[in-house]
Amino acid sequence: MSIAVAPEVAAALARGGAVVALESTIICHGMPYPKNLQTAVEVEAVVRDGGAIPATIAILDGVPHVGLSSEQLKRMAISGRQFQKTARRDIAHVVGIPIFVTGGIGGVHRHGEQTMDISSDLTELGKTPVAVISAGVKSILDIPRTLEYLETQGVTVAAYRTNEFPSFFTEISGCQNAYIRTWALFGTWGTFPVELKSFLVPCRVDSPEECAKIIHANKNLDLGSGILIAVPIPTQDAASGNLIESAIQKALKEAEEKRIIGNAITPFMLERVKELTGGSSLEANIALVKNNARLGAEIAVALSNLQKKGKNRMGRSAL
């Protein structure tokens, strides 16, 4: 199958420039039109402002596209859920883009030990050498089991300027543990007094340059697995995090009562949480995606500079 690579993306890759892959799911499944189109354009602008070339990924008319035109972005935004969500995200890696920005990756669903509902994102990260920049995993998931699964897959997990794995809408993940444990202890959701536990990451990075060094080393070692760099949502945008987390718990309870499982649970949860929070979850989602894109661009530039320095040193040595 041929892959359509946008000219500016191909040119940037050919000269070893900074390129950031972006998902298209958020355009079709994440929010309504025209908010989705506005967000897609703004996220691409954030990447450009950071000195990198954005490459939004989508399959159009049966052909994988790496980098979309404004007309193609609008087509996807208007069509929305007529576009089907695909399971594999390694098209960007196939054409040589090492960095992928998204909101939050999938993971082990809550009660996954019973349902075995585990996102293919995790196994994909285990076999695809791409660095994913996200706000952790979606907060409707089971964070500790997701981290355990990533370890099993050999995925390097790092957090940006923090020691604790973030929980998408909130900067920390400890608050989620209370709800998970109350279910285990009492068989129902509730805010029972339990000890909170933070989910620490094995690696902390404090600059785009540090991130670039890890990505560069992973490539040179030819490990074959990916890297997850978790970026906490900005403090000013996490102010409503507790409200959103409460809405998530309510929506989870409703989903269980209605026996909504499998692929149907994520769209139900996103829509219900948006309703319960009066739309604040949508605004927080947009803010964290832009924040991830900003850092992704900085890492892409740092990685490009690092690789160019390496090539220059090799060239001088050859002389």
Side-chain angles (χ1 to χ4, degrees):
M1 177 185 290
S2 61
I3 297 178
V5 182
E8 67 168 348
V9 175
L13 291 173
R15 66 173 182 268
V19 180
V20 174
L22 300 170
E23 66 168 320
S24 56
T25 303
I26 192 173
I27 303 173
C28 301
H29 295 251
M31 55 192 72
Y33 180 81
K35 191 70 172 180
N36 55 355
L37 178 59
Q38 177 187 345
T39 300
V41 172
E42 290 176 350
V43 170
E44 286 201 347
V46 167
V47 173
R48 292 186 189 279
D49 290 344
I53 299 298
T56 302
I57 313 297
I59 298 177
L60 303 176
D61 302 318
V63 178
H65 284 64
V66 181
L68 303 181
S69 66
S70 57
E71 291 78 14
Q72 289 169 330
L73 283 175
K74 186 174 182 180
R75 172 189 169 187
M76 296 196 71
I78 294 175
S79 299
R81 292 186 179 275
Q82 292 179 27
F83 279 89
Q84 184 176 348
K85 183 177 179 181
T86 56
R88 291 177 64 93
R89 301 190 194 179
D90 62 338
I91 297 172
H93 168 68
V94 168
V95 297
I97 303 176
I99 296 172
F100 173 79
V101 167
T102 184
I105 66 167
V108 179
H109 282 255
R110 304 190 192 195
H111 313 309
E113 73 279 9
Q114 301 172 13
T115 64
M116 293 302 293
D117 192 349
I118 301 172
S119 171
S120 61
D121 287 0
L122 304 188
T123 51
E124 193 65 45
L125 269 169
K127 60 187 178 184
T128 305
V130 63
V132 176
I133 318 299
S134 81
V137 299
K138 295 180 177 67
S139 49
I140 64 174
L141 304 173
D142 185 327
I143 291 177
R145 287 192 171 92
T146 297
L147 291 175
E148 287 289 345
Y149 198 94
L150 285 170
E151 180 182 4
T152 301
Q153 292 293 314
V155 177
T156 298
V157 177
Y160 191 69
R161 293 180 179 173
T162 180
N163 296 314
E164 185 174 352
F165 195 78
S167 180
F168 201 69
F169 288 123
T170 57
E171 298 169 275
I172 60 174
S173 51
C175 60
Q176 187 198 56
N177 191 55
Y179 292 101
I180 294 174
R181 290 190 60 191
T182 52
W183 175 270
L185 292 172
F186 301 97
T188 184
W189 296 110
T191 54
F192 299 96
V194 294
E195 178 184 0
L196 294 180
K197 175 186 177 183
S198 297
F199 303 124
L200 302 180
V201 292
C203 176
R204 170 178 173 149
V205 284
D206 290 294
S207 70
E209 290 72 23
E210 286 186 13
C211 298
K213 288 178 181 178
I214 291 177
I215 297 169
H216 189 59
N218 185 70
K219 179 182 178 181
N220 288 342
L221 291 171
D222 197 23
L223 296 177
S225 56
I227 298 170
L228 174 62
I229 299 176
V231 187
I233 184 173
T235 302
Q236 66 271 20
D237 300 308
S240 58
N242 291 332
L243 170 65
I244 295 172
E245 181 64 22
S246 297
I248 288 171
Q249 304 311 319
K250 180 176 176 60
L252 279 169
K253 183 177 180 180
E254 292 177 3
E256 182 160 353
E257 291 172 346
K258 295 178 180 180
R259 299 187 182 280
I260 299 173
I261 58 174
N263 292 336
I265 192 166
T266 296
F268 169 81
M269 289 293 299
L270 292 175
E271 183 62 29
R272 189 67 182 115
V273 169
K274 185 176 75 173
E275 293 172 356
L276 292 170
T277 61
S280 63
S281 63
L282 177 59
E283 294 305 315
N285 195 345
I286 293 172
L288 66 84
V289 169
K290 289 182 178 179
N291 186 58
N292 295 344
R294 189 174 298 108
L295 178 60
E298 293 174 355
I299 295 172
V301 170
L303 179 61
S304 175
N305 292 336
L306 183 62
Q307 291 173 336
K308 287 177 181 177
K309 287 180 181 178
K311 289 181 180 179
N312 289 338
R313 283 196 298 267
M314 289 178 65
R316 287 195 296 270
S317 298
L319 294 175

